[in-house]
Amino acid sequence: MATFNVRHCRGLDDRVDPSRTAAVIEATGASIVALQELDRSVPRSGSVDQVSLLEDRLGMQMHFCPTLGIGSGEYGIALAGPSLVAVERERLPGAELDPEPRWAVWARSEGTTYLCTHLSTHRGAKRLQLNALAGIARKLSPPLVVLGDLNQTGRCLGPLRAAGLRGDGRRHLTHSAAWPRHQIDWILVRGGRIARAWTLATHASDHRPLAATLEV
C-alpha cells in the first residue's frame, strides 16, 4: 500500500506529467494507493482527467472524492485498488477556519478497510479534523489502515494513537521531495502491523510517496 500527494501531477521542474506520476506509483509496488491533490479537467493541468488517465495506466479502480471545484473542473483525493468495495465518504470539520473542504474516503478490500484523507494546513482546522478522523476510525472494524497527507508531524497525532492507530515507529521523511525534512504523509494501522515502510525519491511532486507492507 502507498500514499502519495501528487500535486496535480506537477513535478519540481514545473511540468505536469501524469505518466511520470503513474510510473512513480507503479514503482511503489502497491496494490492499494491513496492519492491527494488530483485534478480532473482543471485548466492549470491541461484540462486532463487525471483520474481516468491514472486509472487506465495503473489498471486500478479509482474511487475519486472531489473536494473542491476549480473552474469547470474538480480537485480532490482518491483511493485506488483492484477490489475496493463499500466505498463511503465523509466531510471533515474546519470549514470556518479553512475555506478548502476536507474529506475522508474509505473502502474495504479483502477484509481490510483503507481510509484516505488530506488534512488542512491550518492548525485549528487540523485539530478538529484529526478528532473527527479518530471518531471515524473508532467506528470502522479492524484491520484498518489510514493513509494520507495529514500535514503534521508525529507528535501531533495523539487523537489517532488514542484510537489505536500505529505506524512502524520510524520517521520516513516525505516533504519536501528534493530535500525532505519532515514526515507529514502517514500510513497508520489498527488490527495489524506494518512490517516495512519506505519512501521513494522522486521529482514528480513536492512530496515523496510513502509505501508499506501490512501484516494482518
Side-chain angles (χ1 to χ4, degrees):
M1 55 195 174
T3 183
F4 189 19
N5 182 324
V6 300
R7 196 173 71 152
H8 58 273
C9 301
R10 184 179 298 276
L12 297 183
D13 56 4
D14 209 35
R15 183 166 55 92
V16 177
D17 188 349
S19 294
R20 176 174 58 180
T21 300
V24 174
I25 296 169
E26 287 177 324
T28 67
S31 58
I32 303 289
V33 183
L35 300 172
Q36 303 87 42
E37 297 195 13
L38 274 174
D39 277 359
R40 170 182 270 173
S41 306
V42 177
R44 68 180 178 188
S45 50
S47 298
V48 170
D49 185 345
Q50 295 181 346
V51 178
S52 294
L53 192 153
L54 291 175
E55 189 171 48
D56 292 342
R57 169 67 185 268
L58 298 170
M60 290 181 171
Q61 186 179 9
M62 191 83 68
H63 297 281
F64 179 59
C65 176
T67 60
L68 191 66
I70 302 179
S72 58
E74 298 173 313
Y75 159 95
I77 62 177
L79 195 56
S83 56
L84 292 166
V85 296
V87 182
E88 298 187 56
R89 60 187 67 182
E90 183 173 316
R91 184 165 177 172
L92 301 176
E96 68 280 9
L97 300 172
D98 180 357
E100 181 179 335
R102 306 288 175 161
W103 287 73
V105 57
W106 62 93
R108 292 187 70 77
S109 176
E110 298 181 351
T112 298
T113 301
Y114 297 89
L115 186 156
C116 168
T117 193
H118 181 197
L119 301 189
S120 175
T121 58
H122 186 283
R123 182 178 299 176
K126 274 189 292 194
R127 189 178 305 115
L128 293 172
Q129 290 159 12
L130 266 181
N131 286 326
L133 200 62
I136 295 170
R138 287 189 179 95
K139 292 185 291 185
L140 297 175
S141 300
L144 169 67
V145 183
V146 172
L147 312 95
D149 177 0
L150 304 185
N151 267 316
Q152 52 208 312
T153 60
R155 66 176 180 231
C156 301
L157 301 181
L160 298 183
R161 293 199 177 95
L165 290 151
R166 298 287 185 272
D168 69 343
R170 299 173 56 206
R171 289 178 73 214
H172 302 279
L173 305 182
T174 61
H175 191 266
S176 64
W179 301 102
R181 299 177 57 195
H182 307 285
Q183 179 174 2
I184 60 174
D185 303 271
W186 293 89
I187 298 177
L188 304 169
V189 175
R190 188 181 80 222
R193 185 179 77 88
I194 294 177
R196 176 175 172 244
W198 66 98
T199 61
L200 277 72
T202 180
H203 285 187
S205 172
D206 60 342
H207 288 242
R208 292 186 173 187
L210 174 65
T213 56
L214 172 67
E215 289 182 355
V216 176

